[in-house]
Amino acid sequence: MTLLMGAVAYDPKVVTIWEGFRTWLRHQGLPFDFLLYSHYERLTEDLVAGRLHAAWNSPLAWVRARRLARARGREVRALVMRDTDQDLTSVVLVRSDSPVTSPADLKERTVAVGAVDSPQATLLPLSLLRRTGLRPGRDFTVRRFDVGTGLHGDHVGGEREAVRALLAGEADAACVLDANHLLFGREGTLPPGGVRLLAQTEPYDHCTMTVAGTAPPELTGEFERLLLSMAYDDPEVRPLLDLEGLTAWRPGRTTGYAALETAVDEAGFYDAAGRITAAEYAP
């Protein structure tokens, strides 16, 4: 039997990445193949339905997979994650010359966010602002940039547009992944000293390799063993890890998704059974 994994084609490089992993895994003796999807919702549904053994899931896809599985009396498990997926944060930025000095000052102002389904640039930072007593859409205007809807924030275009709106004076704050804040500075989207940090979320985890409870344990166990064995100093393995943006695979953990679970419930994005309930979301 071949272990079948699904992934979302958020960028053309995804083909190159998983073709490389397939070649390496097969050379290690694991029968492995992959399917590519246009968005995470179908990927998650196919995983829980048993049409896949594993799914390379976004954090939001993990939340939905767990809810869908539980509603059907099934199980999913977080197998492994990248070292770069652990302990991330999102930030709320304002212009350096802004009169806004605390989240409370955003009342009756405009906050730019990423796509509707972005955990790091929409769901989590808006949840952070809710905890300060501000209600999105009521106490402040949310200006959303729905770039790459269905990709769960894997496309940074929405965050880049949010930052541009902030710099242009079309928004009073912008929400982005902390790592993208640094990226936008390096690439010149953010001028040196142009913005300052207003608020920052608690650390959370991002993507996870999710396996279905119905998957053959001998296959998923070997898949886990091989991924965890990949060493960055191995010249055969290093290019694969570089393409996928990690230096090591780590055992999967689920404790880093609690904040996103709360944010999903606050926003009414999925219900308890994993059904899509966000009114403005069409993957």
Side-chain angles (χ1 to χ4, degrees), residues 29-175:
L30 177 68
F32 174 86
D33 207 352
F34 65 94
L35 293 176
L36 295 182
Y37 288 74
S38 61
H39 59 79
Y40 279 105
E41 307 309 335
R42 189 176 299 279
L43 168 64
T44 303
E45 291 163 5
D46 280 2
L47 175 71
V48 174
R51 290 186 282 270
L52 297 168
H53 298 125
W56 184 215
N57 269 346
S58 73
L60 190 59
W62 160 259
V63 170
R64 189 176 187 218
R66 189 187 65 80
R67 294 184 182 200
L68 284 172
R70 186 173 57 186
R72 301 181 186 186
R74 300 178 182 178
E75 294 182 356
V76 292
R77 180 165 63 95
L79 191 73
V80 296
M81 55 181 28
R82 300 173 298 187
D83 55 346
T84 49
D85 280 315
Q86 296 184 334
D87 299 320
L88 308 183
T89 66
S90 293
V91 294
V92 182
L93 304 174
V94 296
R95 292 183 301 279
S96 294
D97 60 357
S98 171
V100 174
T101 59
S102 73
D105 295 334
L106 290 174
K107 190 169 184 179
E108 298 182 357
R109 295 180 183 268
T110 298
V111 176
V113 300
V116 63
D117 58 339
S118 173
Q120 67 265 16
T122 304
L123 293 167
L124 286 165
L126 289 183
S127 180
L128 170 65
L129 293 178
R130 284 189 187 93
R131 290 198 299 278
T132 70
L134 296 174
R135 297 162 296 177
R138 297 181 67 180
D139 293 321
F140 62 90
T141 299
V142 177
R143 184 171 180 188
R144 212 173 61 225
F145 290 90
D146 283 329
V147 178
T149 303
L151 302 182
H152 290 187
D154 281 347
H155 196 299
V156 300
E159 292 178 61
R160 190 175 282 114
E161 291 305 312
V163 164
R164 287 173 176 161
L166 172 65
L167 294 176
E170 298 166 3
D172 299 287
C175 303

Side-chain angles (χ1 to χ4, degrees), residues 247-262:
T247 59
W249 293 99
R250 302 295 185 207
R253 67 185 188 187
T254 60
T255 53
Y257 299 117
L260 183 56
E261 293 272 7
T262 297

